[in-house]
Amino acid sequence: MKITKVTEDAVATLLDDLLKRSPNNYTGYADKVQAIIDDVRERGDEALFEMTKRFDGADLNADNIRVTQAEIDEAYTLVDASLIEVIRKAMTNIRVYHEKQRQYGWFDTTPDGTILGQKVTPLQSTGVYVPGGKAAYPSSVLMNVIPAKVAGVEKIVMVTPPGKDGKVNPGTLVAANEAGADEIYKVGGAQAIAALAFGTASVPKVDKIVGPGNIYVALAKKAVYGYVSIDSIAGPSEILVIADETANPRYVAADLLSQAEHDELASAILVTTSEKLAGKVQKEIEDFTQVLSRKAIIEKSLENYGHILIASSIDEAVEIANAIASEHLEIVTTNPFEVMTKIRNAGAIFIGENSSEPLGDYFAGPNHILPTNGTAKFFSPLSVDDFVKKSSIIYYSREALAAKKDDIIQFAKAESLTAHANSIAVRFEDK
Amino acid sequence: MKITKVTEDAVATLLDDLLKRSPNNYTGYADKVQAIIDDVRERGDEALFEMTKRFDGADLNADNIRVTQAEIDEAYTLVDASLIEVIRKAMTNIRVYHEKQRQYGWFDTTPDGTILGQKVTPLQSTGVYVPGGKAAYPSSVLMNVIPAKVAGVEKIVMVTPPGKDGKVNPGTLVAANEAGADEIYKVGGAQAIAALAFGTASVPKVDKIVGPGNIYVALAKKAVYGYVSIDSIAGPSEILVIADETANPRYVAADLLSQAEHDELASAILVTTSEKLAGKVQKEIEDFTQVLSRKAIIEKSLENYGHILIASSIDEAVEIANAIASEHLEIVTTNPFEVMTKIRNAGAIFIGENSSEPLGDYFAGPNHILPTNGTAKFFSPLSVDDFVKKSSIIYYSREALAAKKDDIIQFAKAESLTAHANSIAVRFEDK
C-alpha cells in the first residue's frame, strides 16, 4: 500500500478515482438494463423464466419460482445449528437498535380551531434484493428485512437468484425466515427488479425495493425509481481509518483488510498523523495478506484503491474524511469522541480501538447497508425511516379560516391562480 | 365532468390513465436530457450560456449569471408591499410547522461499555429549482427553502430560468431573499440540474437538488440521482375529495377546480356516497368554470382527468383514495377524523369543509411540495428530513467485544469473509 503525504492534488486525484467506481458511471450497461426491464414489463413471467434460464441456468416456472415451506425446512437441516443461534442473537441486537428509530405521528392545535400534524404510515409492501451465488450473505438479509418489519410493513417480498439446480442458498433462506420475509422468489438481476417494480403473474409489485446487488441490479433500481421507491444505488464497500500514534498498527491493518477483501473495487484508506504508524500498518498489511483466503482480491483492491495518507494534524485528517464521505469510518485516536463531533460525512462511525468494523457488519445492531461512494454526504444508513412515509394533516375551523382568508386570496391572485382564490372566497360569499 | 358508479374496472382504467402521466413514461425525452447533462458536465459554463441563449433567449455570461444584491433590491420595488407582508406571515407559519419536524441524534449505552447511536447532520449544500416564465410561484420558493434553512443547510443555491431580458421574476427573488436562499443563478431546464449536480465555473455543485419543474427538469433529476440526492420526481398536481351528503357542493366544486387549473395533466376526482351531491357538484363546476381565468386549462384537465365516482360506502371511497394515493386529499364527511385514520396513502390530508386545499398551498404551514402520481404510497411531503442525513455511531469496550467475539467470528467465517473474522481475532491473540 502506498504511503503519501497529504497534498491538495493527492486528495483530489484519490477522490476522483474513488468516484469513478460509481454504478452511475457504467453507462454502457444502461441500455441493456432498460431492455431487460421493458421485456419483463411487457411479457411478465415468460420473460422472467427465459432470463433465469439464460443468466442463472435454472429451469423455473410458475409452480416453482416461489420458495416453498418445504424448501425452507430443508434449509434448516443444511445450516449449522450453532450458526442459527448466532443469527438469532444478532437479530435481537439489530431489532433493539432499529426499534429506537421508530418515528411517531404528531399534531398540534391552536385554540381558534386549527390542527396541524404529520401522520406516519408504514409502506404496505417492500421488495428485498439479496445477491446469490458465491456471495450469499445471511447478514444482509437480516439488515434489509428487520427494519421493514420494525416499521410495520405488511408484505416483505424477497428475491434472490437461484443456482443451476433451481435452489437458493440455505443460509439466505434461514435468515429470511428468521427475520420474517413473507414471500421469497427465485429470481435475480435486473429482471428481478423489474418484476418487483411492475409485477408479473408470479411476482407481486411492491412499493419500494431495497438491498445491494451487482451493476445490473444497481442500474435497474435507478431505472425503476419513481415507479417505486428505492433505498439507494449501492457501490463498492469502503473503509477510512483516522489514527494517531496511539493506534495499534495490527488492529488498523486487520480492519483495513476486512473491507479490501469484499471485492476488487473496494477501498481501504488510512489517514494518520504518525509516519511511524503508517510504516507499521504497511508492514502488517503485507504480512496478513499472505495468509488470508481472499488474497487475490485484497491485493487488487489495495493496489487500486488502498491508500495510506500522512496528515499534518487530526483536523486535516477529519477534513479528508469529510471530503471522501466513507461508508465506514474508524476513529482510533487519543480522544476519538471529540474527533467524532467534527465528522460530517460517514455512513457508520466506529469509535476507539475495540470497535472494529466487522462488529457493525454482523452484530452490534446498527444497519450495515450504508451509503457508499461519497453518497454519505446526502444519504443515510438503511433504517426504519426507509419503510415509512408521511402525510400532512390540516384542519381549520371556520373561525381560523376567516382570520386568514384575505391573505390567502391575495397570495393566490399574485400567482394568477384564480380558482385557488375562489376556493377560499366561496366559503365567505353572501348567501 | 363524468359521473360514474364505482366498479373494479372503472377504477382500474382510471388508475391506469393517471399513472400514464408520470414523467417516467416520457422516455422519448430521456436521450435529449442525457445529452444536455453530458454537455454541461463536459463544457461547463460554456454549455450553460449557449443553452440559456437557445432555450430562454437570454444573453448570459460569468459576470451576470448570478443574481446581484442590486437585482434583489430592485425586485422589492416591483412587488406589492402588502404581498411582501403576506409572504412574511406565510413564512412564519411554514417555519413553525417545519421546526416540529426536526430530528435529534440519540445514543444508548450498556454498562459493559457499549455506545450505540445515530448522529443527525444537515446537508452542507442544496440546490433549489424554481420554474420561471409564466408560472412564477413565490410560494414554492418558500416551501423549498424554509425546510432546508430549518434543517441547518449552510448553502442554499437557487436556480431559475431568466426571461429574454436576462431578468428573474421579482416575486421569486423577493421570496428567495426572505426565505434565505444564499445564491441565485439565472439558469433553468435540464442544464440547471446538470450544473447543480456536477458544478461549473459559475454554478456550485450541491449535495441535493429539490423543487418541481417541467418534464426536462424531472428527467434530469432522475438522471443525476446517485451523483447527488433528489427530493422526488414531480408529476402533475392532483386532488381527490371524499364527500358524503353533508358536504357543500359549491365548496367541493371550487376545491376540485383549484387543482384542475394547474395544468392540462392535473387531475381532480370526487368520490362520494351521494348521487345528489354528485349532480350538484357537476353543475357547480360548469358554472364556476365559465368565470374562471384559466378556463381553457380547466376544461382540458377535467375532460381527461376529472372524475366523479359514486361509491357505495365511505369505506369503498377510502379504498379508492388509498389506491389512487392522491397528492391532496380532502375529507368532507360527517366524521372526517375517523375517516382520516383509514387513509394510508395521500400527500396531504385536508379535514372538514373549511380546510380548503389552497389553504395548504400558501399559508397553513405544511409543505405544498407533495408526492404525486401514486407515489404517496412510498414518498413523503418535502420536509426537514430531506435536508439532513444520519450516521450510525458504534463504540464497544474491550470487555463488550470479548463477550461477543466468538459469535462475530463464526458469522464472518460462515460468509467466507476471513479478513472480517481476523479483524476481531487479532484483538484477542496471544502476544
Side-chain angles (χ1 to χ4, degrees):
Chain A
M1 210 142 88
K2 302 164 279 276
I3 300 183
T4 325
K5 286 230 175 174
V6 166
T7 62
E8 232 175 90
D9 278 359
V11 173
T13 309
L14 191 163
L15 261 173
D16 222 41
D17 280 353
L18 291 178
L19 290 177
K20 279 188 191 130
R21 301 172 309 149
S22 166
N24 261 319
N25 288 330
Y26 288 70
T27 43
Y29 292 79
D31 288 347
K32 265 190 255 181
V33 166
Q34 192 60 53
I36 292 173
I37 292 171
D38 292 344
D39 195 17
V40 172
R41 202 175 174 184
E42 207 168 295
R43 296 196 300 132
D45 270 2
E46 206 185 326
L48 278 193
F49 301 144
E50 276 178 30
M51 291 182 205
T52 304
K53 178 74 192 161
R54 186 166 3 129
F55 299 129
D56 306 302
D59 267 317
L60 290 184
N61 55 54
D63 294 329
N64 63 8
I65 187 172
R66 181 167 172 185
V67 170
T68 61
Q69 189 55 48
E71 286 175 297
I72 292 170
D73 294 343
E74 191 199 1
Y76 274 83
T77 69
L78 299 170
V79 175
D80 188 345
S82 70
L83 180 63
I84 297 177
E85 278 318 302
V86 174
I87 287 176
R88 287 179 183 156
K89 285 192 231 170
M91 275 183 57
T92 302
N93 293 344
I94 297 165
R95 194 181 299 117
V96 167
Y97 181 86
H98 286 83
E99 272 167 0
K100 291 173 190 157
Q101 292 177 331
R102 273 215 188 112
Q103 292 189 42
Y104 297 90
W106 54 263
F107 68 87
D108 266 319
T109 63
T110 55
D112 60 341
T114 76
I115 302 176
L116 298 178
Q118 197 170 264
K119 190 173 191 280
V120 179
T121 313
L123 305 190
Q124 206 149 10
S125 60
T126 187
V128 172
Y129 189 89
V130 176
K134 291 165 291 179
Y137 296 135
S139 58
S140 285
V141 176
L142 306 183
M143 293 294 182
N144 276 298
V145 174
I146 293 171
K149 212 72 192 166
V150 170
V153 175
E154 281 168 27
K155 189 159 85 173
I156 301 172
V157 180
M158 206 175 97
V159 293
T160 190
K164 280 189 184 148
D165 55 359
K167 293 200 170 176
V168 169
N169 179 289
T172 299
L173 287 187
V174 167
N177 189 63
E178 291 288 325
D182 298 294
E183 302 176 11
I184 307 170
Y185 295 90
K186 300 169 186 170
V187 59
Q191 60 274 23
I193 303 299
L196 290 170
F198 300 107
T200 71
S202 295
V203 181
K205 171 177 168 44
V206 297
D207 293 328
K208 180 162 187 165
I209 303 172
V210 302
N214 63 16
I215 187 72
Y216 287 93
V217 171
L219 292 176
K221 281 169 71 182
K222 180 166 175 173
V224 301
Y225 174 74
Y227 294 108
V228 295
S229 181
I230 64 173
D231 54 342
S232 66
I233 301 175
S237 197
E238 298 156 348
I239 189 168
L240 188 147
V241 181
I242 296 177
D244 63 16
E245 71 288 352
T246 64
N248 181 319
R250 234 170 130 67
Y251 300 178
V252 171
D255 293 0
L256 290 168
L257 289 165
S258 75
Q259 291 313 293
E261 80 169 332
H262 267 299
D263 64 68
E264 294 174 2
L265 290 174
S267 162
I269 297 171
L270 166 63
V271 189
T272 178
T273 47
S274 164
E275 287 197 44
K276 205 167 146 193
L277 182 80
K280 284 186 186 169
V281 170
Q282 189 182 40
K283 176 73 175 59
E284 293 287 355
I285 283 181
E286 277 163 27
D287 294 350
F288 274 135
T289 304
Q290 299 318 310
V291 299
L292 286 169
S293 61
R294 296 164 73 92
K295 181 172 179 246
I297 293 172
I298 290 171
E299 284 179 340
K300 200 89 181 194
S301 78
L302 289 184
E303 189 189 324
N304 290 322
Y305 304 107
H307 295 272
I308 298 176
L309 299 174
I310 312 289
S312 57
S313 66
I314 291 292
D315 279 350
E316 189 179 57
V318 165
E319 214 176 284
I320 292 166
N322 282 333
I324 291 176
S326 187
E327 182 189 14
H328 305 99
L329 174 72
E330 287 187 5
I331 306 173
V332 199
T333 60
T334 316
N335 199 342
F337 283 94
E338 191 180 308
V339 174
M340 178 268 285
T341 65
K342 300 176 183 172
I343 298 298
R344 286 193 78 103
N345 306 323
I349 306 173
F350 297 79
I351 297 174
E353 71 170 16
N354 297 298
S355 309
S356 164
E357 188 280 329
L359 163 65
D361 280 347
Y362 294 113
F363 217 79
N367 211 289
H368 80 199
I369 298 168
L370 298 166
T372 53
N373 219 255
T375 62
K377 289 181 180 171
F378 43 79
F379 288 150
S380 303
L382 189 72
S383 79
V384 173
D385 300 355
D386 279 287
F387 300 101
V388 299
K389 39 90 183 188
K390 296 167 182 173
S391 304
S392 310
I393 300 290
I394 300 172
Y395 171 83
Y396 256 51
S397 67
R398 187 166 178 83
E399 181 193 344
L401 189 65
K404 311 289 165 60
K405 70 175 175 15
D406 296 335
D407 290 334
I408 303 171
I409 290 170
Q410 186 178 357
F411 211 150
K413 285 188 174 163
E415 294 190 348
S416 309
L417 294 174
T418 51
H420 282 63
N422 181 57
S423 90
I424 304 295
V426 71
R427 286 168 161 88
F428 299 95
E429 68 193 349
D430 295 329
K431 300 276 155 83
Chain B
M1 211 142 87
K2 303 165 277 277
I3 301 183
T4 326
K5 287 230 175 174
V6 166
T7 62
E8 230 176 272
D9 278 0
V11 173
T13 309
L14 191 162
L15 261 174
D16 221 42
D17 280 352
L18 290 178
L19 289 177
K20 280 189 191 129
R21 302 172 307 151
S22 165
N24 261 319
N25 289 330
Y26 288 70
T27 44
Y29 292 79
D31 288 347
K32 265 190 253 181
V33 166
Q34 191 60 54
I36 292 173
I37 292 171
D38 292 344
D39 195 16
V40 172
R41 201 175 173 183
E42 207 169 295
R43 295 195 300 130
D45 270 1
E46 206 184 328
L48 278 195
F49 301 144
E50 277 178 29
M51 291 182 205
T52 304
K53 179 74 190 158
R54 187 165 3 130
F55 299 129
D56 306 302
D59 267 318
L60 290 183
N61 55 54
D63 294 328
N64 64 9
I65 187 172
R66 181 166 172 185
V67 170
T68 62
Q69 189 55 50
E71 287 174 296
I72 292 171
D73 293 344
E74 192 200 0
Y76 273 83
T77 68
L78 299 170
V79 176
D80 188 345
S82 70
L83 180 64
I84 297 177
E85 278 319 302
V86 173
I87 287 176
R88 286 177 183 156
K89 284 192 232 171
M91 275 183 58
T92 302
N93 292 345
I94 298 166
R95 194 180 301 116
V96 167
Y97 181 86
H98 286 82
E99 272 167 1
K100 291 172 190 158
Q101 293 177 329
R102 273 215 188 111
Q103 292 189 43
Y104 297 91
W106 54 264
F107 69 88
D108 266 317
T109 63
T110 56
D112 60 340
T114 75
I115 302 175
L116 297 179
Q118 197 171 265
K119 191 174 190 278
V120 180
T121 312
L123 306 190
Q124 207 148 9
S125 59
T126 188
V128 171
Y129 189 88
V130 175
K134 291 166 290 177
Y137 296 135
S139 59
S140 284
V141 176
L142 306 183
M143 294 294 183
N144 276 297
V145 173
I146 293 172
K149 212 73 191 167
V150 170
V153 174
E154 281 169 27
K155 189 159 84 174
I156 300 171
V157 180
M158 206 176 96
V159 293
T160 190
K164 281 191 182 144
D165 55 358
K167 293 199 171 179
V168 170
N169 179 289
T172 300
L173 286 187
V174 167
N177 189 62
E178 291 289 324
D182 298 294
E183 302 175 11
I184 307 170
Y185 295 89
K186 301 168 188 171
V187 58
Q191 60 275 23
I193 302 299
L196 290 170
F198 301 107
T200 71
S202 295
V203 180
K205 172 177 168 43
V206 296
D207 292 328
K208 180 162 188 166
I209 303 171
V210 302
N214 63 16
I215 186 73
Y216 288 93
V217 171
L219 292 176
K221 281 169 71 182
K222 180 166 175 174
V224 301
Y225 173 75
Y227 294 108
V228 295
S229 181
I230 64 173
D231 55 343
S232 66
I233 300 175
S237 197
E238 298 155 349
I239 188 169
L240 188 146
V241 180
I242 296 177
D244 64 16
E245 70 287 353
T246 65
N248 181 318
R250 233 170 130 67
Y251 301 178
V252 171
D255 293 1
L256 290 168
L257 288 164
S258 75
Q259 291 313 293
E261 80 170 334
H262 268 299
D263 64 69
E264 294 174 2
L265 290 174
S267 163
I269 298 171
L270 166 63
V271 189
T272 178
T273 47
S274 163
E275 287 196 45
K276 203 166 147 195
L277 182 81
K280 284 186 186 168
V281 169
Q282 189 182 41
K283 176 74 176 60
E284 294 287 355
I285 283 181
E286 276 162 26
D287 293 349
F288 276 135
T289 304
Q290 299 318 311
V291 298
L292 287 168
S293 61
R294 296 164 72 92
K295 182 172 178 247
I297 294 172
I298 290 171
E299 284 179 340
K300 200 88 181 196
S301 76
L302 288 184
E303 188 189 326
N304 290 322
Y305 304 107
H307 295 272
I308 298 177
L309 300 173
I310 313 288
S312 57
S313 66
I314 290 293
D315 280 349
E316 189 180 58
V318 165
E319 214 177 284
I320 292 166
N322 282 334
I324 291 176
S326 187
E327 182 189 14
H328 305 99
L329 174 73
E330 288 188 5
I331 305 173
V332 199
T333 60
T334 316
N335 199 344
F337 282 94
E338 191 180 307
V339 175
M340 180 267 286
T341 65
K342 299 176 183 173
I343 298 298
R344 286 192 77 104
N345 305 323
I349 305 173
F350 297 80
I351 298 174
E353 72 170 16
N354 297 299
S355 309
S356 163
E357 188 279 329
L359 162 67
D361 281 347
Y362 294 112
F363 215 79
N367 212 289
H368 79 199
I369 298 168
L370 298 166
T372 53
N373 219 253
T375 63
K377 289 182 180 172
F378 43 79
F379 289 149
S380 303
L382 190 72
S383 78
V384 172
D385 300 355
D386 280 286
F387 300 101
V388 299
K389 38 90 183 189
K390 295 166 182 175
S391 304
S392 310
I393 300 290
I394 299 171
Y395 171 84
Y396 257 51
S397 66
R398 186 166 179 83
E399 181 193 345
L401 189 64
K404 311 289 165 60
K405 70 176 177 15
D406 295 336
D407 290 333
I408 303 171
I409 290 170
Q410 186 178 359
F411 211 149
K413 284 187 174 163
E415 293 190 349
S416 310
L417 294 174
T418 52
H420 281 63
N422 181 57
S423 90
I424 304 295
V426 70
R427 286 167 161 88
F428 299 94
E429 68 193 348
D430 295 330
K431 297 281 154 80

